[in-house]
């Protein structure tokens, strides 16, 4: 899966109450405008897709290991016209606009390095995005949060797919996300010193071919490091790994199938270093969130480039991730970024959009919308920190 897919995550966004005399753009990044129309369009796309909101919520939860939760996409109340969405929160606005600014900085970094993407790369990015969403929605169902419809988007226990999520969004919105994923991927490959063309990746594959071997493995799982070390010692003294695994492992184990080595390593804790493990040898104990694994490579064969292409691309992106982050951090500090005050305040120190303070009473176009109503027939007010979103029609 593409390493920079995580960057496309839209945290949340919307429209806050505005004064009559404000800049027409939502933000400007080094002279490139992010228009209010573009912001409105994206907000409507997200507000209209419960599936995409579930994906965003799930991605934030999983990537932060449960420490982060996104603000709601919409707030209380209704819009002025029939068909309007409810109000959007200012925290939604600030976070979403921050993401848009981050996307623009990546696109400008691509221009600096003359990085372009081909039709084939766009096709690959679309597939990767769909697979990433499918993976996230499957993973969230394995957690307690998956029972919450805001995350799982399902009361049946069946994970929704990337295709379902993308089909719930306007084609123009999906195309924009795909373009970003493809460009961000190519930037990482370029800054790795490799390049993103097929010839570049094939050259990298030939120079590191053994790293992309297909390895068949067996595993044993232990409840403690000492138990894993004892089992490792038994194998060193000649006891077959399968025997030790079946007699001493606490749970699971046995044959685990065959996979490309770099793919296996990406799924394991850092430092596993299976690439240097000889066939038939047993790894040192691997700490996997409190349980300990012993792995044995039972066979290892070369993988043709045609089958290893995605893994090669991922390896190159990983190699270029640090350089890309360094370049983006540098660009953030020297970039000229301005944000329309109705959406928030740009904070260059940490490259974020700070949620705006409550507006002056004179700046609120419909102040009565913030007044609590007692009669049900008049309950058309909005949350104090929000405003109505434009209809998508």
């Amino acid at each position: 899966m593409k390493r920079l897919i995580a960057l496309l995550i839209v945290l949340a966004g919307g429209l806050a109450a505005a004064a009559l005399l404000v800049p027409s753009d939502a933000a400007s990044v080094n002279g490139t405008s992010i228009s209010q129309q573009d912001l409105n369009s994206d907000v409507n796309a997200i507000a209209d897709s419960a599936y995409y909101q579930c994906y965003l919520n799930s991605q934030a939860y999983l990537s932060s290991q449960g420490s982060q939760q996104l603000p709601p996409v919409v707030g209380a109340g209704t819009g002025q016209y029939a068909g309007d969405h409810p109000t959007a929160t200012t925290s939604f606005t600030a976070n979403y606009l921050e993401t848009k600014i981050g996307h623009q900085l990546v696109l400008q970094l691509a221009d600096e390095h003359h990085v372009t993407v081909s039709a084939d790369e766009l096709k690959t990015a679309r597939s990767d995005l769909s697979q990433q969403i499918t993976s996230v929605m499957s993973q969230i169902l394995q957690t307690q949060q998956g029972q919450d419809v805001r995350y799982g988007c399902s009361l049946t226990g069946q994970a929704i797919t990337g295709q379902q999520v993308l089909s719930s969004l306007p084609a123009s919105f999906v195309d924009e996300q795909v373009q970003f994923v493809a460009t961000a991927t190519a930037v990482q490959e370029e800054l790795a010193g490799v390049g993103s063309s097929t010839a570049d990746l094939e050259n990298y594959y030939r120079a590191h071919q053994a790293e992309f071997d297909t390895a068949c493995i067996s595993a044993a799982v232990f409840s403690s490091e000492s138990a894993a070390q004892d089992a490792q010692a038994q194998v060193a003294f000649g006891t077959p790994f399968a025997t030790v695994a079946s007699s001493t492992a606490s749970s699971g184990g046995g044959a685990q199938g065959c996979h490309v080595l770099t793919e296996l390593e990406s799924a394991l804790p850092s430092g596993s270093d299976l690439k240097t493990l000889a066939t038939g040898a047993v790894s040192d104990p691997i700490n996997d969130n409190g349980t300990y694994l012993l792995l044995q490579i039972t066979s290892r064969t070369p993988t043709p480039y045609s089958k290893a292409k995605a893994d090669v691309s991922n390896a190159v992106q990983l190699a270029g991730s640090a350089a890309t982050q360094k370049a983006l951090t540098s660009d953030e500090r020297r970039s000229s970024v301005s944000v329309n005050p109705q959406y928030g305040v740009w904070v260059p120190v940490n490259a974020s959009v700070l949620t705006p303070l409550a507006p002056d009473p004179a700046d609120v176009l419909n102040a009565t919308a913030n007044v609590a109503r007692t009669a049900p027939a008049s309950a058309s007010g909005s949350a104090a920190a929000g405003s109505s979103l434009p209809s998508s029609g």
Side-chain angles (χ1 to χ4, degrees):
M1 210 51 57
K2 297 300 183 182
R3 294 283 175 180
L4 267 187
I5 283 183
L7 281 179
L8 73 89
I9 297 304
V10 180
L11 295 181
L15 299 177
L20 290 175
L21 298 177
V22 294
S24 60
D25 292 328
S28 176
V29 184
N30 296 318
T32 299
S33 297
I34 298 174
S35 70
Q36 292 195 44
Q37 181 179 0
D38 185 26
L39 183 62
N40 292 351
S41 177
D42 283 359
V43 168
N44 274 296
I46 298 167
D48 282 339
S49 174
Y51 279 175
Y52 193 65
Q53 291 175 47
C54 283
Y55 165 61
L56 297 180
N57 290 335
S58 298
Q59 175 66 28
Y61 178 85
L62 293 172
S63 62
S64 67
Q65 298 183 325
S67 65
Q68 292 184 8
Q69 184 176 5
L70 297 184
V73 177
V74 293
T78 60
Q80 183 177 358
Y81 304 104
D84 281 356
H85 292 299
T87 58
T89 63
T90 51
S91 57
F92 182 94
T93 308
N95 283 324
Y96 181 76
L97 188 55
E98 181 180 315
T99 299
K100 296 281 287 184
I101 292 170
H103 283 200
Q104 187 57 51
L105 287 170
V106 171
L107 297 177
Q108 291 178 1
L109 181 62
D111 287 340
E112 289 176 21
H113 291 271
H114 309 290
V115 171
T116 58
V117 295
S118 66
D120 284 345
E121 288 171 318
L122 288 172
K123 182 178 179 180
T124 298
R126 188 177 298 272
S127 174
D128 287 338
L129 175 56
S130 181
Q131 291 177 37
Q132 165 72 4
I133 295 172
T134 296
S135 176
V136 166
M137 299 315 297
S138 295
Q139 290 178 52
I140 197 66
L141 289 187
Q142 309 306 313
T143 72
Q144 186 175 359
Q145 292 297 107
Q147 306 306 310
D148 187 332
V149 70
R150 294 174 300 173
Y151 292 82
C153 246
S154 172
L155 298 176
T156 65
Q158 184 73 30
I160 59 176
T161 67
Q163 185 58 46
Q164 286 176 297
V165 173
L166 296 179
S167 295
S168 71
L169 295 159
S172 58
F173 181 87
V174 175
D175 289 346
E176 183 179 351
Q177 308 313 308
V178 169
Q179 178 71 45
F180 173 77
V181 171
T183 303
T185 296
V187 167
Q188 280 196 305
E189 293 169 344
E190 179 67 25
L191 294 187
V194 175
S196 60
S197 71
T198 299
D200 293 330
L201 296 177
E202 286 179 343
N203 288 336
Y204 184 87
Y205 163 78
R206 284 190 289 269
H208 303 81
Q209 189 167 344
E211 298 178 12
F212 302 101
D213 283 352
T214 296
C216 299
I217 64 169
S218 288
V221 183
F222 301 87
S223 58
S224 68
E225 185 176 16
S226 60
Q229 289 171 336
D230 288 343
Q232 184 185 27
Q234 292 180 45
V235 174
F237 281 104
T239 305
F241 179 71
T243 301
V244 172
S246 62
S247 63
T248 62
S250 60
S251 64
Q256 302 297 309
C258 305
H259 311 271
V260 175
L261 275 171
T262 55
E263 182 182 335
L264 280 171
E265 288 207 320
S266 68
L268 292 169
S270 60
S272 302
D273 199 19
L274 293 185
K275 294 190 293 292
T276 62
L277 185 65
T279 302
V282 175
S283 71
D284 290 332
I286 300 170
N287 186 350
D288 186 20
N289 294 321
T291 61
Y292 290 83
L293 310 177
L294 290 181
L295 301 178
Q296 181 188 53
I297 296 179
T298 57
S299 67
R300 181 168 173 166
T301 57
T303 308
Y305 176 75
S306 59
K307 293 185 178 180
K309 182 177 179 180
D311 295 294
V312 173
S313 180
N314 284 340
V316 173
Q317 291 168 51
L318 181 60
S321 60
T324 301
Q325 187 58 59
K326 181 178 180 180
L328 284 173
T329 300
S330 175
D331 282 356
E332 287 169 354
R333 290 172 178 169
R334 61 185 174 83
S335 289
S336 174
V337 178
S338 61
V339 171
N340 187 318
Q342 66 173 310
Y343 300 112
V345 177
W346 176 250
V347 183
V349 174
N350 56 3
S352 63
V353 177
L354 182 66
T355 303
L357 301 174
D360 292 333
D363 290 338
V364 180
L365 300 182
N366 182 13
T368 59
N370 297 326
V371 178
R373 305 289 185 175
T374 56
S378 302
S380 59
S382 65
S387 69
S388 58
L389 300 177
S391 64
S392 58

